[in-house]
Amino acid sequence: MNSIKEKSMTIKKKKDKLAYWNDFLIQDFYLDYYQNLDSNDLDKEFNKDIKILAKALNKLPASARKAFIEVFARYIEFYIENKIEKEIDSSLEKILKL
């Protein structure tokens, strides 16, 4: 009986941790954080995060990898979109100064 209760508590704790990332304030904070970085800092942050995510992916069981890979792909897409936007802005700034 205790093991069932312990498993239930463990599942609840995991859901609470996931709910943290679904909070709009947290999402807005990270969106603002990444958008306020310049292109070079964005690259550094991305490289650091990719290494961390790759290590985490290797530690996950096969059943959880698919969901994690989707998150991984979204993060890469987010990075590329921000990188392109920052490079375009930087190029336009240089052109308009000339």
Side-chain angles (χ1 to χ4, degrees):
M1 186 74 163
N2 284 339
S3 65
I4 294 172
K5 192 173 185 178
E6 288 174 11
K7 287 181 183 177
S8 174
M9 293 299 288
T10 302
I11 291 170
K12 185 176 180 185
K13 287 179 184 177
K14 287 181 183 177
K15 286 182 180 178
D16 290 342
K17 287 180 183 177
L18 292 175
Y20 175 80
W21 292 108
N22 289 327
D23 185 349
F24 289 111
L25 291 174
I26 300 298
Q27 291 175 0
D28 287 345
F29 171 79
Y30 280 100
L31 285 173
D32 289 343
Y33 173 74
Y34 284 108
Q35 288 176 349
N36 289 327
L37 294 175
D38 67 11
S39 186
N40 291 333
D41 290 336
L42 181 66
D43 290 342
K44 290 175 188 175
E45 194 72 29
F46 177 73
N47 288 332
K48 182 181 79 172
D49 291 345
I50 286 293
K51 289 176 186 176
I52 292 169
L53 292 171
K55 287 179 184 177
L57 181 63
N58 289 331
K59 295 177 182 179
L60 288 176
S63 61
R65 285 184 183 177
K66 183 178 178 184
F68 192 79
I69 289 171
E70 289 178 23
V71 171
F72 206 38
R74 285 189 205 150
Y75 180 68
I76 293 170
E77 181 181 347
F78 174 77
Y79 163 75
I80 291 171
E81 288 173 358
N82 277 300
K83 181 67 175 177
I84 290 171
E85 184 178 318
K86 289 179 185 304
E87 291 299 320
I88 289 172
D89 289 346
S90 175
S91 297
L92 287 173
E93 234 177 76
K94 288 177 185 175
I95 290 171
L96 293 174
K97 284 184 179 178
L98 295 176

